[in-house]
Amino acid sequence: MRPYSPDLTPPWKKPKPVPEVPAEPGLVVEDPATGYCGAVVGCEAGTVTLEDRHGRHRVFPLAPAAFLLEGRPVTLVRAAAAPRRPSRTASGSVAVPGARARVARAGRIYVEGRHDAELVEKVWGDDLRIEGVVVEYLEGVDDLPGVVEEFAPGPDARLGVLVDHLVPGSKEWRIAEAVTSAHALVVGHPYVDVWQAVKPSALGIDAWPVIPRGQDWKTGVCRALGWPDNTGAAWRHILSRVRDWKDLEPELLGRVEELIDFVTAP
């Protein structure tokens, strides 16, 4: 049996306990080992993700006394999950809890490619399901007038089309001008590719690189940013950084909202 050994350390010399603080989203802390300061944007079992003022993310382990909060050491702990329904959809619309998807309308929205469709789904998917609007992709707009003619839009089956690089004088502009149906609306954004409609700040970069004419734009972007030459993986990374409408440029936001209004108008 071990003999009793009293702790004779004076109270004022004993280390003060480090408080535990829930890692709530938005809480700003500093990692003293690296000087990295950021707001909590995610917390998984054993790790916390911080975002600095430039939009860059870093993951840190949830170690005891590992962070500074207002200059004082704290131990971050995973916040208790609180059931909370979002009040807004990713597009910024008022959320309708429990709303069922509407039966699909005869009208459609066409976009140029899969990346466009995936981005529209991520931000406007909830709205489109409530409105019963289906988004399909064209794989290019070279035969857009023929596609519109085949669709045969009418008062009860309107067609909206979103086009990349729709600027005066471009090939896309001339093709769009050839669509004359009163029940079809062709709009577009000025970017070479829908990738550029994602704000650079969402990716932690200062700006999208300028790629010389004649080069494949997506491959050039990957090389300029030091990413692997895998445009599919690059797009998955870009899409993962889009949280809601605030991560998109207004030139795209306005056009998609315009198409939804057009297709769903009574």
Side-chain angles (χ1 to χ4, degrees), residues 192-210:
V192 174
D193 190 273
V194 76
W195 288 19
Q196 282 185 298
V198 177
K199 290 181 177 179
S201 58
L203 302 171
I205 61 177
D206 294 329
W208 285 100
V210 177

Side-chain angles (χ1 to χ4, degrees), residues 240-259:
S240 72
R241 302 299 295 271
V242 175
R243 295 162 294 186
D244 55 33
W245 64 274
K246 294 188 289 292
D247 292 323
L248 302 182
E249 298 287 2
E251 289 83 355
L252 176 67
L253 292 171
R255 302 294 75 75
V256 175
E257 297 286 350
E258 187 178 355
L259 290 177

Side-chain angles (χ1 to χ4, degrees), residues 23-68:
E24 299 281 1
L27 179 73
V28 178
V29 295
E30 179 184 350
D31 172 45
T34 62
Y36 186 93
C37 185
V40 174
V41 294
C43 187
E44 303 294 335
T47 65
V48 63
T49 302
L50 304 181
E51 180 181 75
D52 68 10
R53 62 189 182 89
H54 301 292
R56 294 186 289 258
H57 288 194
R58 286 188 63 176
V59 179
F60 297 90
L62 287 175
F67 298 94
L68 299 179

Side-chain angles (χ1 to χ4, degrees), residues 140-157:
V141 294
D142 288 349
D143 193 33
L144 181 59
V147 169
V148 173
E149 183 178 358
E150 182 179 353
F151 183 87
D156 298 321

Side-chain angles (χ1 to χ4, degrees), residues 59-111:
V59 179
F60 297 90
L62 287 175
F67 298 94
L68 299 179
L69 176 61
E70 298 179 351
R72 297 173 181 265
V74 296
T75 297
L76 290 185
V77 296
R78 195 174 182 183
R84 185 169 63 91
R85 291 177 175 175
S87 59
R88 297 277 174 178
T89 66
S91 70
S93 302
V94 176
V96 184
R100 294 184 178 182
R102 176 175 173 165
V103 175
R105 296 172 182 266
R108 292 286 188 274
I109 291 177
Y110 284 174
V111 297

Side-chain angles (χ1 to χ4, degrees), residues 96 98-105 125-133:
V96 184
R100 294 184 178 182
R102 176 175 173 165
V103 175
R105 296 172 182 266
D126 289 340
D127 308 59
L128 293 169
R129 279 182 284 278
I130 290 176
E131 295 291 350
V133 177

